[in-house]
């Protein structure tokens, strides 16, 4: 009896499940509609469907990509949250940052949104540390007791604690947590020195509050899922690693980009195996589209990310998300123009063609009307009602004064431009030429606009992996256990002994966590954040292992100058007037796993069956329909054509070709 590893990715519309046989590398996949009211239902249903195909296989591990924390933040369900901070700093959230969304031209019209915690739920406690962690004034224990009782009497049971300079010395925050545990035992508490030991008070406070806000919901969800599964499982983190469910409930903020991170990692492995180490990844789902950049096999990492309007300074894969999925709703603005998204019909009620109560035209309805997707999804499990889509598109066309074909095409065109703008934000705006990168597109709706994105962005090619709807779930099985640790220590005169001590402390924290996860030979990856003196933000560079000496220092400085020049076009490498300031030291503790092999010719071949239907590409074409499993390596399909499989569809427009490579990927290019 063999053993399998299972990945389960819960998306806005579908829950995807992938199992990999650890002995043979064989992959089995399935999908089931997501259940937004209780995501655990879709998870368990998906495992049940998969079990029908696994037979007597033993499950060795389960990894889960979840949107529970993400959705709570995007929907801004963070009421009933309290903040405790240092005396005199009660307005830290109100002051926030100087930046205005969309630039300062918007400053006349922009209204500052409500703070994550209103002022009347912010309390302060006396005591003070300096920036090196030395105590200036002692912790005011009596005042702390009063504050804890104040929150208890008002029923505020979720509390974040962020004291000034706690990144340098967590003692006062830990004493506050002890007081809360004694005086307000029902409270769920997050302290900033556990969540983010890094300076910048506003971001540290918001990140801590976000962690506190999602803790109760994540704990309920993980507990519910654990009881129904009856076995341990792991959860995908935003930084590209996984962590056991029992550990992740203590740091739920690390899961806020759980699913999208898995997709980027899975796509990176698939593309790299096929000879494309640097790519753009695009994960098109039912609710949104997630875009990332992979350089030399590794997705870009940032600590300047946000979820919704909340900055989260934890390490996360650099992902841009736009509301451009299959369920995105088409609507008419007050000015009379056609808009698409970001509002989505989701899985329930879904598009008009689902016949589940949806009342508005979506991107999926436009594809159905134009004939670009089949009359059913998931091999017939979800029938699509063409007449419902047609009536919705025609009614919208009447309001716009356009033909139904022009209206449906316009919906898809707007959706394609929304996706292309997300790609530009990660490439053109960061000094990368988008024309240098193939696009790996996956997710159920990801491949549908491949040809238009090639034209809009000038892409060299679009690569569609096998079974694209399950790439995120597959990606869950490709990632190591990973924890990140940071310590702020601002200095222009690096002391080797102090730096060695900081790295040793961080590596000890990492070792302790990985030991609990069962790894006795962890790998440590060091990095450092540096800047030119006087700058406000830093550049992160990898730091070599080994002893901290003058040679180590010069190597990191050289990497910083190179990275700064690449990012901003200049560096002060040989200019002594511009000193370099060291700001943060970081360690990632990694517990390596064995990644599944990418198989050649992954489909069980079927005999080709001649089929066609009318598909609209500028005009109606009698278009051949190809079953993807029937296409052998080396096959070239010329547009117009449709390539269909269980979880996704690839429309090939006139003037484009699709070539199947040895790993089963479909490479779409414009004809020369």
């Amino acid at each position: 009896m063999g053993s399998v590893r299972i990945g389960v990715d819960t998306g806005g519309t579908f829950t995807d499940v992938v199992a990999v046989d650890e002995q043979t590398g064989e992959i089995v996949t399935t999908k089931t509609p997501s259940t937004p009211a209780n995501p655990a239902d879709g998870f368990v249903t998906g495992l049940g469907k998969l079990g029908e195909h696994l037979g007597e296989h033993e499950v060795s591990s389960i990894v889960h990509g979840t949107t529970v924390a993400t959705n709570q933040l995007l929907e801004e369900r963070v009421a009933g949250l309290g903040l405790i901070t240092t005396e005199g700093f009660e307005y830290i959230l109100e002051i926030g940052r100087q930046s205005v969304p969309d630039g300062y031209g918007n400053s006349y019209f922009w209204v500052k949104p409500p703070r994550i915690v209103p002022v009347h739920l912010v309390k302060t406690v006396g005591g003070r540390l300096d920036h090196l962690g030395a105590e200036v004034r002692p912790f005011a224990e009596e005042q702390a007791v009063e504050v804890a009782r104040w929150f208890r009497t008002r029923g505020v049971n979720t509390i974040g604690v962020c004291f000034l300079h706690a990144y340098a010395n967590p003692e006062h925050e830990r004493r506050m947590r002890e007081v809360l545990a004694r005086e307000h035992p029902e409270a769920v508490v997050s302290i900033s020195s556990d969540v983010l030991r890094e300076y910048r008070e506003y971001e540290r406070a918001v990140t801590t509050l976000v962690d506190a806000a999602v803790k109760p919901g994540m704990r309920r969800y993980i507990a519910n899922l654990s009881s129904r599964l009856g076995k341990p499982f792991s959860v995908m983190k935003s930084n590209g690693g996984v962590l056991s469910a029992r550990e992740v409930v203590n740091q739920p903020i690390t899961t806020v980009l759980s699913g999208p991170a898995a997709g980027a990692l899975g796509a990176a492995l698939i593309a790299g195996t096929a000879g494309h180490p640097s790519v753009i990844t695009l994960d098109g789902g039912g609710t949104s589209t997630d875009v990332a950049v992979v350089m030399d096999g590794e997705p870009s990492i940032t600590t300047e990310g946000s979820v919704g309007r909340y900055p989260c300074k934890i390490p996360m894969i650099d992902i841009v998300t736009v509301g451009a999925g299959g369920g995105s709703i088409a609507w008419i603005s007050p000015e009379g123009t056609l808009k698409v998204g970001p509002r989505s019909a989701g899985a329930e009620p879904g598009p008009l063609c689902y016949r589940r109560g949806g009342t508005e035209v979506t991107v999926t309805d436009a594809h159905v009307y134009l004939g670009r997707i089949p009359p059913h999804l998931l091999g017939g499990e979800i029938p699509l009602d063409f007449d419902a889509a047609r009536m919705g598109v025609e009614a919208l066309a009447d309001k716009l004064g356009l033909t139904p074909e022009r209206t449906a095409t316009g919906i898809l065109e707007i959706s394609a431009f929304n996706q292309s703008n997300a790609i530009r934000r990660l490439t053109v705006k960061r000094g990368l030429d988008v024309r240098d990168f193939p696009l790996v597109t996956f997710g159920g709706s990801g491949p549908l606009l491949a040809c238009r994105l090639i034209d809009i962005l000038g892409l060299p090619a679009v690569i569609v992996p096998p079974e694209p709807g399950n790439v995120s779930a597959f990606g869950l099985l490709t990632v190591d256990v990973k924890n990140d640790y940071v310590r702020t220590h601002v200095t222009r005169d690096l002391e080797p002994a102090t730096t060695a001590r900081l790295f040793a402390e961080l590596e000890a924290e990492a070792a302790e966590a990985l030991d609990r996860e069962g790894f006795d030979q962890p790998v440590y990856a060091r990095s450092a954040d540096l800047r030119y003196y006087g700058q406000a933000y830093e550049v992160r560079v990898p730091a070599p292992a080994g002893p901290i000496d003058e040679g180590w220092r010069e190597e990191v400085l050289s990497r910083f100058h190179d990275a700064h020049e690449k990012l901003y076009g200049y560096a002060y490498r040989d200019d002594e007037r511009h000193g370099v300031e060291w700001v943060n030291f970081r360690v990632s503790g990694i517990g390596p796993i064995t990644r599944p092999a990418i198989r050649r010719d992954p489909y069980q071949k079927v005999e080709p069956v001649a089929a066609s239907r009318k598909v609209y590409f500028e005009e109606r074409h009698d278009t051949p329909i190809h079953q993807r499993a029937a296409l052998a390596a080396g096959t070239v399909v010329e547009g117009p054509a449709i390539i269909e499989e269980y979880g996704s569809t690839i429309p090939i427009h006139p003037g484009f070709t699709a070539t199947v490579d040895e790993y089963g990927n479909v490479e779409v290019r414009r004809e020369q």
Side-chain angles (χ1 to χ4, degrees):
M1 181 172 64
S3 62
V4 296
R5 291 161 51 205
I6 296 176
V8 184
D9 178 51
T10 301
T13 305
F14 289 106
T15 295
D16 306 324
V17 189
V18 170
V20 174
D21 188 303
E22 294 188 296
Q23 284 73 43
T24 67
E26 182 183 357
I27 296 175
V28 179
T29 66
T30 190
K31 297 168 79 76
T32 189
S34 293
T35 50
N38 184 357
D41 292 341
F43 185 111
V44 174
T45 301
L47 284 183
K49 286 180 67 176
L50 189 71
E52 298 170 9
H53 305 287
L54 293 180
E56 297 299 317
H57 283 77
E58 179 184 343
V59 177
S60 64
S61 65
I62 300 174
V63 185
H64 181 28
T66 174
T67 55
V68 169
T70 317
N71 292 342
Q72 182 181 345
L73 296 175
L74 292 176
E75 295 166 18
E76 301 191 3
R77 292 184 278 114
V78 293
L81 193 60
L83 169 64
I84 303 173
T85 189
T86 300
E87 196 170 52
F89 286 80
E90 60 266 39
Y91 296 110
I92 186 172
L93 298 179
E94 296 299 318
I95 296 169
R97 286 292 174 205
Q98 186 177 345
S99 58
V100 174
D102 301 321
Y104 285 96
N106 188 38
S107 59
Y108 292 104
F109 313 102
W110 182 66
V111 177
K112 185 183 289 188
R115 305 290 89 187
I116 188 171
V117 175
V119 169
H120 71 275
L121 291 179
V122 178
K123 303 300 286 184
T124 63
V125 172
R128 190 68 173 267
L129 304 169
D130 68 15
H131 70 286
L132 297 177
E135 188 174 81
V136 177
R137 291 200 301 272
F139 177 69
E141 181 103 13
E142 292 182 4
Q143 196 176 355
V145 170
E146 291 176 9
V147 166
R149 291 173 178 172
W150 187 91
F151 279 119
R152 186 189 66 200
T153 59
R154 283 157 180 78
V156 178
N157 296 330
T158 309
I159 300 169
V161 180
C162 184
F163 289 157
L164 193 66
H165 302 311
Y167 58 85
N169 181 354
E171 180 61 27
H172 286 191
E173 285 193 347
R174 290 173 179 172
R175 289 180 64 184
M176 185 70 236
R177 182 170 57 189
E178 291 170 2
V179 170
L180 286 166
R182 185 174 68 246
E183 301 292 337
H184 189 5
E186 293 182 2
V188 174
V189 180
S190 291
I191 65 174
S192 75
S193 50
D194 281 354
V195 176
L196 182 71
R197 284 194 71 170
E198 186 176 335
Y199 85 155
R200 292 198 171 99
E201 301 303 308
Y202 172 69
E203 287 81 4
R204 184 158 57 92
V206 175
T207 303
T208 303
L209 289 164
V210 166
D211 184 73
V214 300
K215 254 181 187 171
M218 275 295 289
R219 285 180 173 175
R220 286 193 298 270
Y221 176 66
I222 295 295
N224 180 14
L225 205 49
S226 297
S227 65
R228 294 174 69 171
L229 288 178
K231 61 179 62 181
F233 64 98
S234 300
V235 179
M236 181 75 197
K237 297 168 64 179
S238 310
N239 66 351
V242 296
L243 195 61
S244 65
R246 68 177 182 275
E247 292 283 340
V248 87
V249 293
N250 298 318
Q251 40 182 296
I253 192 174
T254 61
T255 70
V256 293
L257 287 179
S258 179
L265 287 159
L269 179 60
I270 292 167
T273 303
H276 306 284
S278 297
V279 294
I280 302 163
T281 70
L282 184 147
D283 181 0
T287 306
S288 61
T289 294
D290 305 305
V291 177
V293 173
V294 175
M295 302 287 287
D296 298 323
E298 295 291 335
S300 301
I301 299 288
T302 183
T303 55
E304 302 298 329
S306 62
V307 180
R309 61 184 178 88
Y310 305 116
C312 297
K313 279 187 69 66
I314 59 166
M316 59 178 69
I317 291 178
D318 196 359
I319 292 171
V320 169
T321 299
V322 291
S328 295
I329 291 169
W331 53 285
I332 300 174
S333 73
E335 298 79 25
T337 57
L338 179 63
K339 304 281 188 180
V340 179
R343 198 160 53 91
S344 173
E348 296 175 0
L352 291 169
C353 58
Y354 278 24
R355 283 293 195 186
R356 292 180 181 167
T359 58
E360 298 174 281
V361 177
T362 67
V363 170
T364 296
D365 294 311
H367 281 296
V368 169
Y369 178 76
L370 297 175
R372 297 187 187 177
I373 57 178
H376 53 75
L377 300 179
L378 306 189
E381 290 182 36
I382 301 178
L384 302 179
D385 189 329
F386 172 83
D387 287 333
R390 176 182 56 78
M391 288 188 290
V393 171
E394 288 176 351
L396 186 63
D398 286 342
K399 295 177 183 178
L400 291 166
L402 299 172
T403 66
E405 289 80 8
R406 289 279 293 166
T407 300
T409 303
I411 291 170
L412 301 187
E413 193 74 357
I414 293 169
S415 185
F417 269 88
N418 288 341
Q419 292 184 356
S420 67
N421 287 338
I423 293 170
R424 288 190 179 103
R425 283 169 60 187
L426 274 179
T427 53
V428 177
K429 289 190 174 182
R430 303 189 185 186
L432 301 174
D433 190 338
V434 68
R435 296 168 297 183
D436 294 337
F437 294 85
L439 176 70
V440 181
T441 182
F442 55 97
S445 69
L448 290 168
L449 297 171
C451 294
R452 286 302 299 133
L453 290 172
I454 288 174
D455 279 346
I456 292 169
L457 295 168
L459 298 167
V462 168
I463 300 162
V464 185
E467 299 186 354
N470 294 91
V471 168
S472 289
F474 171 76
L476 293 167
L477 305 177
T478 70
V479 297
D480 302 317
V481 173
K482 184 179 179 184
N483 275 322
D484 297 300
Y485 302 89
V486 60
R487 195 72 52 83
T488 294
H489 180 72
V490 182
T491 180
R492 277 182 282 168
D493 185 16
L494 186 76
E495 297 178 1
T498 301
T499 307
R501 176 180 57 79
L502 289 172
F503 275 126
E505 291 174 0
L506 294 170
E507 289 172 4
E509 287 184 62
E512 183 181 349
L514 288 170
D515 183 62
R516 292 196 299 269
E517 296 287 296
F519 292 93
D520 55 5
Q521 292 185 317
V523 175
Y524 303 116
R526 295 173 175 174
S527 59
D529 300 348
L530 296 87
R531 65 190 179 195
Y532 292 117
Y533 181 65
Q535 289 181 327
Y537 289 94
E538 302 80 45
V539 175
R540 180 168 311 137
V541 295
I548 312 296
D549 53 21
E550 187 60 26
W552 184 93
R553 175 182 173 278
E554 290 301 321
E555 175 62 25
V556 176
L557 286 174
S558 177
R559 294 180 183 184
F560 165 68
H561 294 306
D562 291 343
H564 195 282
E565 188 164 20
K566 185 175 181 180
L567 276 171
Y568 302 112
Y570 71 95
Y572 297 120
R573 189 183 309 274
D574 300 314
D575 191 339
E576 295 182 358
R577 295 173 300 172
H578 296 276
V580 174
E581 197 164 46
W582 303 70
V583 179
N584 297 313
F585 298 92
R586 301 178 184 272
V587 165
S588 294
I590 302 167
I593 64 158
T594 302
R595 288 172 172 75
I598 304 296
R599 300 174 69 200
R600 287 178 166 82
D601 201 20
Y603 290 97
Q604 289 186 347
K605 284 294 176 270
V606 299
E607 290 298 319
V609 177
S612 66
R613 67 169 176 264
K614 293 288 186 182
V615 181
Y616 188 87
F617 297 109
E618 300 303 327
E619 60 184 25
R620 293 279 175 185
H621 294 264
D622 195 17
T623 304
I625 309 299
H626 300 272
Q627 293 305 309
R628 186 166 180 179
L631 302 177
T635 300
V636 178
V637 176
E638 295 184 354
I642 301 290
I643 300 175
E644 294 179 356
E645 60 182 307
Y646 173 77
S648 193
T649 302
I650 314 172
I652 309 300
H653 291 226
F656 288 81
T657 61
T659 306
V660 182
D661 72 11
E662 61 179 318
Y663 294 97
N665 302 299
V666 172
E667 294 192 13
V668 182
R669 301 177 186 269
R670 178 164 273 289
E671 289 180 347
Q672 296 300 316

